[in-house]
Coordinates of all heavy atoms in Angstrom, one line a residue:
Q25 N 91.2 173.8 36.8 CA 92.3 174.4 37.6 C 91.7 175.3 38.8 O 92.2 175.3 39.8 CB 93.2 175.3 36.8 CG 94.1 174.4 35.8 CD 94.9 175.3 34.9 OE1 94.6 176.4 34.7 NE2 96.0 174.7 34.3
I67 N 73.9 119.4 61.5 CA 72.9 120.5 61.5 C 72.6 120.9 62.9 O 72.5 122.1 63.2 CB 71.6 120.0 60.8 CG1 71.9 119.6 59.3 CG2 70.5 121.0 60.9 CD1 72.2 120.8 58.4
I131 N 79.4 152.3 51.3 CA 79.1 153.3 50.3 C 78.9 154.6 51.0 O 78.2 154.7 52.0 CB 77.9 153.0 49.4 CG1 78.2 151.7 48.7 CG2 77.6 154.1 48.4 CD1 77.0 151.1 47.9
M134 N 75.7 155.9 53.2 CA 74.8 154.8 53.4 C 75.2 153.8 54.4 O 76.5 153.8 54.7 CB 74.6 154.1 52.0 CG 74.0 154.9 50.9 SD 73.7 154.0 49.4 CE 72.4 152.8 50.0
D142 N 81.7 136.7 43.3 CA 81.5 135.3 42.7 C 82.6 135.0 41.7 O 83.0 135.9 40.9 CB 80.2 135.2 42.0 CG 79.9 133.8 41.5 OD1 80.2 132.8 42.2 OD2 79.5 133.7 40.3
Y145 N 83.5 128.5 39.1 CA 83.7 127.2 39.8 C 84.5 126.3 38.9 O 84.2 126.1 37.8 CB 82.3 126.6 40.2 CG 82.4 125.3 40.9 CD1 83.3 125.1 41.9 CD2 81.4 124.3 40.8 CE1 83.4 123.9 42.6 CE2 81.4 123.2 41.5 CZ 82.4 123.0 42.4 OH 82.4 121.8 43.1
G148 N 83.2 123.4 36.8 CA 82.5 123.8 35.6 C 81.0 123.4 35.5 O 80.4 123.3 34.4
A155 N 74.1 128.9 41.0 CA 73.4 128.8 42.3 C 73.3 130.1 43.0 O 72.2 130.5 43.5 CB 73.9 127.7 43.2
E184 N 91.4 141.2 56.5 CA 92.3 142.2 56.0 C 93.2 141.6 54.9 O 93.2 142.0 53.8 CB 93.2 142.7 57.1 CG 92.4 143.4 58.3 CD 93.3 143.7 59.4 OE1 94.5 143.3 59.4 OE2 92.8 144.3 60.4
E191 N 96.4 127.4 42.9 CA 95.4 126.8 42.1 C 94.3 127.9 41.7 O 93.2 127.9 42.2 CB 94.7 125.7 42.9 CG 93.7 124.9 42.1 CD 94.2 123.8 41.3 OE1 95.5 123.7 41.1 OE2 93.4 123.0 40.7
V192 N 94.7 128.8 41.0 CA 93.9 129.9 40.5 C 94.2 130.3 39.1 O 95.4 130.2 38.7 CB 94.0 131.1 41.4 CG1 95.4 131.6 41.5 CG2 93.1 132.3 41.0
F216 N 92.5 141.5 43.7 CA 91.9 141.2 45.0 C 91.7 142.4 45.9 O 90.8 142.5 46.7 CB 92.6 140.1 45.7 CG 92.2 138.7 45.2 CD1 92.5 138.3 43.9 CD2 91.6 137.8 46.0 CE1 92.1 137.0 43.5 CE2 91.2 136.6 45.6 CZ 91.5 136.2 44.3
I258 N 104.3 109.2 60.1 CA 104.1 108.6 58.7 C 104.7 107.2 58.6 O 104.1 106.3 58.1 CB 104.9 109.6 57.7 CG1 104.2 110.9 57.6 CG2 104.9 108.9 56.3 CD1 105.0 111.9 56.8
L264 N 100.0 102.2 54.8 CA 100.6 103.1 53.8 C 101.6 102.4 52.9 O 102.6 101.8 53.4 CB 101.3 104.3 54.4 CG 100.4 105.4 55.0 CD1 101.2 106.6 55.5 CD2 99.4 106.0 54.0
V312 N 84.2 124.4 61.1 CA 83.3 125.5 60.9 C 83.4 126.4 62.1 O 83.2 125.9 63.2 CB 81.9 125.1 60.6 CG1 81.0 126.3 60.5 CG2 81.8 124.3 59.3
R335 N 98.0 97.4 66.2 CA 98.3 98.6 65.4 C 97.1 99.5 65.3 O 97.1 100.7 65.4 CB 98.8 98.2 64.0 CG 100.3 97.8 64.0 CD 100.8 98.0 62.5 NE 100.0 97.3 61.6 CZ 100.4 96.2 60.9 NH1 101.6 95.7 61.1 NH2 99.6 95.7 60.0
A344 N 92.9 110.0 69.1 CA 92.4 110.6 70.4 C 93.3 111.6 70.9 O 92.9 112.7 71.4 CB 92.1 109.5 71.4
E347 N 93.0 114.8 68.8 CA 91.8 115.5 69.2 C 92.0 116.4 70.4 O 91.6 117.5 70.5 CB 90.7 114.5 69.4 CG 90.0 114.1 68.1 CD 88.7 113.4 68.4 OE1 88.1 113.5 69.6 OE2 88.2 112.6 67.6
V350 N 94.1 119.3 69.4 CA 93.3 120.2 68.6 C 92.3 121.0 69.4 O 92.1 122.3 69.3 CB 92.6 119.5 67.5 CG1 91.5 120.3 66.8 CG2 93.6 119.0 66.4
V379 N 81.4 122.0 53.0 CA 80.0 121.9 52.7 C 79.2 123.0 53.2 O 78.0 123.0 53.1 CB 79.4 120.5 53.2 CG1 80.2 119.4 52.7 CG2 79.5 120.5 54.8
A397 N 84.5 148.2 60.0 CA 84.9 148.5 58.6 C 85.3 150.0 58.6 O 84.8 150.8 59.2 CB 83.7 148.3 57.6

Side-chain angles (χ1 to χ4, degrees):
Q25 291 175 338
I67 298 289
I131 299 172
M134 295 186 68
D142 183 44
Y145 183 34
E184 299 172 355
E191 188 81 354
V192 57
F216 275 67
I258 296 174
L264 287 183
V312 174
R335 281 201 308 247
E347 277 191 19
V350 167
V379 299

